[in-house]
């Protein structure tokens, strides 16, 4: 070794791009989280934000697919809000949930100086739905997706999550997903292999 090290970031590859038509069911605004909830990836702020959202958009639904929510997280939620939260078991076919989603929720670890991207973000990027990224300041998510309008970033804070959800509803008819094309390239399998 000559002392020169070459380093770079190799992203977890995502699936191919999937374009779904607008949701069939326009009667509700669906916010979808897929995967597990564990460690520093907590649902507390999403639940608080969603509870506040229902005051403005009572026809909203929060769906967790493949998640187990701890009872402590649900204790502070009122019964009317609980009726609007759906918890679905693990499934390999997430397309029906993606198809009817208003926005997909990504939760990064609630810690300073986080160095990881969540594994689901590479799949979310490929779907023509708004992404709400709950993340920390200077996180990889914040730096990588900065300035991408179709990815709404917010801090780990119930009020900020509420504002992100509200913004997703307000922009859902006009959002363009072309702004994430360059980032999608980073997650394409063939580009990762070439790198």
């Amino acid at each position: 070794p000559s002392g020169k090290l070459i380093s770079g970031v190799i992203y977890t590859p995502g699936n191919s791009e999937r374009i779904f038509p607008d949701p069939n069911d326009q009667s509700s605004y669906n916010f979808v989280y897929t995967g597990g909830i564990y460690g520093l990836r907590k649902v507390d702020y999403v639940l608080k934000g969603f509870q506040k959202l229902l005051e403005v958009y009572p026809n909203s639904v929060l769906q967790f697919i493949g998640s187990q929510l701890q009872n402590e997280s649900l204790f502070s939620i009122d019964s009317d809000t609980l009726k609007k939260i759906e918890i679905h078991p693990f499934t390999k076919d997430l397309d029906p949930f993606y198809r009817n989603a208003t926005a997909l929720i990504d939760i990064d670890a609630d810690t300073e100086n986080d160095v990881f991207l969540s594994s689901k973000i590479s799949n979310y990027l490929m779907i023509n739905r708004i992404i709400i990224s709950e993340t920390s300041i200077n996180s990889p998510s914040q730096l990588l997706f900065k300035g991408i309008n179709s990815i709404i970033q917010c801090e780990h804070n119930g009020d900020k999550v509420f504002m992100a959800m509200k913004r997703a509803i307000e922009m859902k008819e006009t959002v363009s997903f072309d702004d994430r094309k360059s980032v999608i390239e980073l997650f394409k399998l063939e580009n990762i292999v070439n790198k």
Side-chain angles (χ1 to χ4, degrees):
S2 62
K4 289 188 176 182
L5 294 175
I6 298 172
S7 66
V9 176
I10 296 179
Y11 299 104
T12 303
N15 295 322
S16 59
E17 289 183 70
R18 294 186 321 231
I19 309 299
F20 293 112
D22 287 336
N24 295 329
D25 179 9
Q26 299 284 333
S27 64
S28 65
Y29 301 112
N30 297 331
F31 294 87
V32 175
Y33 179 91
T34 64
I37 302 289
Y38 54 88
L40 295 173
R41 286 200 170 111
K42 302 181 267 187
V43 296
D44 304 33
Y45 303 116
V46 169
L47 293 173
K48 287 177 187 170
F50 180 68
Q51 190 166 1
K52 193 168 181 181
L53 181 74
L54 288 174
E55 296 172 14
V56 183
Y57 292 101
N59 56 334
S60 299
V61 176
L62 179 59
Q63 298 176 311
F64 292 94
I65 297 90
S67 306
Q68 296 293 323
L69 298 188
Q70 301 298 322
N71 285 338
E72 308 86 66
S73 299
L74 300 174
F75 281 145
S76 63
I77 304 300
D78 64 67
S79 61
D80 289 336
T81 301
L82 284 174
K83 292 175 188 170
K84 299 288 193 151
I85 297 173
E86 299 176 1
I87 301 172
H88 300 272
F90 171 81
T91 179
K92 288 183 181 179
D93 184 14
L94 293 168
D95 285 0
F97 297 102
Y98 292 153
R99 186 174 287 110
N100 288 313
T102 301
L104 307 173
I105 298 175
D106 183 48
I107 303 172
D108 283 340
D110 187 7
T111 183
E112 287 185 35
N113 304 314
D114 185 17
V115 297
F116 297 104
L117 282 172
S118 76
S119 58
K120 72 179 60 55
I121 196 68
S122 59
N123 288 325
Y124 280 4
L125 281 171
M126 306 300 178
I127 300 165
N128 64 326
R129 293 295 183 261
I130 296 166
I131 298 170
I132 296 174
S133 174
E134 181 192 312
T135 191
S136 300
I137 294 172
N138 295 323
S139 70
S141 291
Q142 189 184 63
L143 300 174
L144 188 61
F145 306 132
K146 185 176 186 175
I148 298 177
N149 194 42
S150 65
I151 302 174
I152 303 170
Q153 296 185 328
C154 63
E155 297 168 32
H156 301 289
N157 174 297
D159 289 334
K160 304 279 184 178
V161 173
F162 157 68
M163 292 303 294
M165 289 176 160
K166 184 174 178 282
R167 184 170 163 217
I169 290 170
E170 292 167 352
M171 66 187 263
K172 77 182 219 55
E173 301 296 333
T174 59
V175 67
S176 168
F177 300 99
D178 291 339
D179 62 353
R180 61 173 86 154
K181 293 260 186 230
S182 62
V183 176
I184 286 173
E185 290 298 313
L186 297 173
F187 290 87
K188 284 192 173 174
L189 182 59
E190 58 271 19
N191 293 334
I192 291 169
V193 170
N194 288 337
K195 186 172 183 176

